[in-house]
Amino acid sequence: MTGGSSGTVDLIVRGEVLLAADGGRAERAEALAIRDGRVVATGTDAELTALAGARTTVVDARGMAVIPGLHDFHVHLVGLARLRAGIVLDDAPDGGEVGRRIADAAASRPPDAWVTGRGWSEAQLATTTPEALEAATNGRPTFVRSHDGHSAWASAAARAIAGVGPGADDPPGGRIERDPSGAPTGVLRETALELVAVHVPELAGHDLWPHLDATLRDLAALGITGATEAGDYTDDN
């Protein structure tokens, strides 16, 4: 048995436990024991069963691999945390549902508060109209990115704040979608979305922490116990 322990443990996990890998050779054990959230012993089933007490939970992985926590060296933690505070549109069946979710979010916020979110697709927007989305905002500045992040839809209030009106020029590398009369529809492509994005307040500091904590817990539930932020290094985070 590797490690040692006096007294009983809280949890014993049985399975194909991977302890380490070096030069293509894997070091394995039949079980591991945990107390107070820390691994205190590894070894055979018999060795670790001796550490069990009346309150010890035993999990049988039934031959499945049990591996150490993974570290993701490229993840946008802050971005994922901020998404939790916005509307999720990926699973909306059509543009009507996109509008309903925007309307629900707008109704729950103060009149001057931004409504944000992500996830709409071209197929969803094809089943609604800019006018319907505009009505859903109830006059609030609204900015929702597409599922791939290369486009966004911005409400009239958001475009007014950013100065994106009928006379606005397309920025290099981007396009402002327009209706037949030349008025912006609200859809902004590539670099054009940044015209509005820079005016959207970003969740930061103490307001961000609960969402960041929830994101880290979700990752831990998937076996990712360490992560390196890949895209947001502002001091307020």
Side-chain angles (χ1 to χ4, degrees), residues 3-18:
S5 179
S6 58
T8 61
V9 295
D10 303 319
L11 174 66
I12 294 175
V13 181
R14 296 170 174 161
E16 191 72 17
V17 182
L18 176 64

Side-chain angles (χ1 to χ4, degrees), residues 40 64 78 115 133 168:
V40 294
M64 293 187 292
V78 173
V115 176
L133 294 177

Side-chain angles (χ1 to χ4, degrees), residues 36 46 62 82 84 91 109 117 124 153 169 173 189 195 214 221:
D36 297 330
R62 299 183 184 277
R82 285 174 174 152
R84 302 182 79 96
D91 60 342
R109 289 166 169 75
Q124 291 168 342
W153 181 84
D169 294 326
R189 307 294 188 185
L195 298 173

Side-chain angles (χ1 to χ4, degrees), residues 143 158-159 161-164 168-172 174-176 188 190-200:
F143 184 79
R159 300 196 305 272
I161 291 172
V164 180
D169 294 326
D170 291 345
R175 185 173 74 253
I176 302 169
L188 308 170
E190 300 294 350
T191 59
L193 66 85
E194 296 299 333
L195 298 173
V196 177
V198 295
H199 297 276
V200 180

Side-chain angles (χ1 to χ4, degrees), residues 69-95:
L70 302 174
H71 188 108
D72 190 327
F73 285 93
H74 187 113
V75 61
H76 297 274
L77 282 173
V78 173
L80 289 171
R82 285 174 174 152
L83 285 176
R84 302 182 79 96
I87 314 166
V88 176
L89 300 172
D90 304 76
D91 60 342
D94 53 34

Side-chain angles (χ1 to χ4, degrees), residues 30 46 63 101 111 113 125 139 168-169 176-177 206 219 221:
E30 294 179 356
R101 294 185 188 184
L125 258 60
D169 294 326
I176 302 169
E177 296 286 6
H206 292 283
L219 292 175

Side-chain angles (χ1 to χ4, degrees), residues 98-134:
V98 170
R100 282 188 287 274
R101 294 185 188 184
I102 291 175
D104 288 345
S108 68
R109 289 166 169 75
D112 58 346
W114 282 77
V115 176
T116 60
R118 181 169 179 149
W120 61 262
S121 67
E122 299 297 333
Q124 291 168 342
L125 258 60
T127 60
T128 187
T129 64
E131 293 76 19
L133 294 177
E134 190 63 50

